[in-house]
Amino acid sequence: MDRTTTEPQAPLRDTTVAGILCMVGFTVTAPVMDAFAKATPAEVPVMQILAARFGFQVAVLVPLALVLGMGRWPGLRDWGQHLLRGLLLLIATGCFFTALRFMPIANALAIFFVAPFILTMLGGLMLGEEVGPRRIAACAVGFLGALMVIQPSFAELGAVALLPLGTALCFAVYMVLTRRMAQRMHPIALQAWTATAASAVVFPLLWGFEGSGIAALDPVWPTGHALWTLAGVGAMATVSHLFISFALRLAPAATIAPLQYLEIVAAVALGYWVFGDFPNALTWAGIAVIVGAGLYVFARERRLSIRRRPMPPA
């Protein structure tokens, strides 16, 4: 999944519109990746979809980072952090793609949107960031909205409905680690080496389970429709990551982060058009609660950042 990155240095004002357009591009292409994953035939194991997703990204972003002069070979300490981030991203994406095989894209994405709230709490616990009572209250409201989406899905599907929560938790920890590394590494290089680390985990696992007979892990030779969907997952993952990387390079995170909720629009449209899924009233209510709480957190972060900004010299 890897749906956000961290904020780089402050951009120039005349690039903000371009950053917003890149973020809109991300909100359109990321759900398309999810649709390709959901449309992949059931006989193709999720681990094989993950291999296609990260392998394609490595094939595109590593050469791009090298051509742009961003491909400095990471040191041993950096490789350890890339490996941990890649493993977290691998688990997060695996949980989400597995959930998509049983539930609509919009439902899974709505549950995943508790990730910013988990990140807020982890920022206080792991990074020492200030988390006041208003933010805690907003996080609690956001989780309540997630429960409104989970409840009918859990009654119908069981524990599968909790998989997007696993995605949100792993992704939030991944983001905390990313914050520490992004201060000294370009986003494209960061994405390239993390995808390389994830590939170094998933491809040996895929090879190890070949011939095991375990349907969820044993790879198959993709043909026909599966070839197109696997290629689509990899291509859309790469394109969406480039969009988000450049969006956060060109515009402040506080400006573009609320736009991520536009993913719900694309997810609902794709889910209805391709799979005939449409959220029920309770799911829509939960989505509204999550989005409202998230926008409140973003708005408050923006106000606080403006207050902390030093006054310009006379």
Side-chain angles (χ1 to χ4, degrees):
M1 296 245 331
D2 198 10
R3 294 186 175 275
T4 55
T5 55
T6 55
E7 180 180 5
Q9 295 179 349
L12 298 174
R13 288 193 178 189
D14 60 355
T15 66
T16 301
V17 173
I20 291 172
L21 293 175
C22 286
M23 189 62 186
V24 173
F26 167 77
T27 64
V28 173
T29 54
V32 174
M33 175 192 68
D34 297 335
F36 274 119
K38 186 177 178 64
T40 301
E43 62 268 18
V44 179
V46 170
M47 189 177 296
Q48 192 167 349
I49 303 176
L50 295 176
R53 177 246 187 276
F54 287 107
F56 198 104
Q57 186 173 337
V58 168
V60 173
L61 292 189
V62 169
L64 181 63
L66 293 172
V67 168
L68 296 178
M70 306 168 185
R72 182 181 61 84
W73 189 257
L76 186 61
R77 179 173 172 269
D78 282 343
W79 268 125
Q81 295 186 40
H82 283 307
L83 189 61
L84 179 57
R85 291 175 67 253
L87 185 60
L88 287 167
L89 191 56
L90 195 62
I91 296 171
T93 311
C95 287
F96 197 79
F97 283 177
T98 302
L100 290 180
R101 294 203 153 176
F102 301 94
M103 60 195 307
I105 299 174
N107 291 39
L109 189 60
I111 299 170
F112 166 77
F113 274 156
V114 303
F117 309 127
I118 299 177
L119 181 59
T120 297
M121 304 306 294
L122 288 178
L125 294 173
M126 299 176 65
L127 299 179
E129 297 175 350
E130 182 182 353
V131 182
R134 294 185 181 181
R135 278 189 249 182
I136 293 176
C139 292
V141 172
F143 279 111
L144 177 62
L147 290 176
M148 295 170 67
V149 181
I150 292 172
Q151 191 275 327
S153 300
F154 189 85
E156 180 182 354
L157 302 172
V160 171
L162 301 178
L163 286 175
L165 280 182
T167 298
L169 178 60
C170 290
F171 189 74
V173 179
Y174 162 86
M175 283 296 296
V176 171
L177 297 176
T178 301
R179 280 183 177 180
R180 295 175 177 175
M181 298 188 70
Q183 303 300 319
R184 50 190 173 84
M185 190 174 296
H186 191 279
I188 291 181
L190 192 61
Q191 295 286 354
W193 296 126
T194 298
T196 301
S199 297
V201 174
V202 70
F203 277 98
L205 284 175
L206 200 64
W207 177 79
F209 281 101
E210 185 176 6
S212 65
I214 303 174
L217 303 172
D218 191 356
V220 299
W221 190 259
T223 58
H225 179 66
L227 282 174
W228 289 105
T229 56
L230 291 175
V233 169
M236 288 298 103
T238 303
V239 170
S240 63
H241 288 163
L242 288 176
F243 269 132
I244 192 68
S245 295
F246 282 104
L248 286 167
R249 197 74 176 172
L250 297 169
T255 300
I256 64 173
L259 296 175
Q260 187 176 1
Y261 288 115
L262 290 175
E263 279 191 81
I264 284 289
V265 178
V268 171
L270 279 170
Y272 181 71
W273 180 44
V274 180
F275 305 105
D277 298 326
F278 194 79
N280 58 27
L282 185 59
T283 299
W284 275 118
I287 290 172
V289 170
I290 295 169
V291 172
L295 291 177
Y296 172 81
V297 170
F298 288 131
R300 181 153 179 81
E301 289 289 338
R302 186 176 179 85
R303 285 198 300 270
L304 290 176
S305 67
I306 292 174
R307 289 180 188 175
R308 289 193 293 263
R309 191 176 301 164
M311 293 291 293

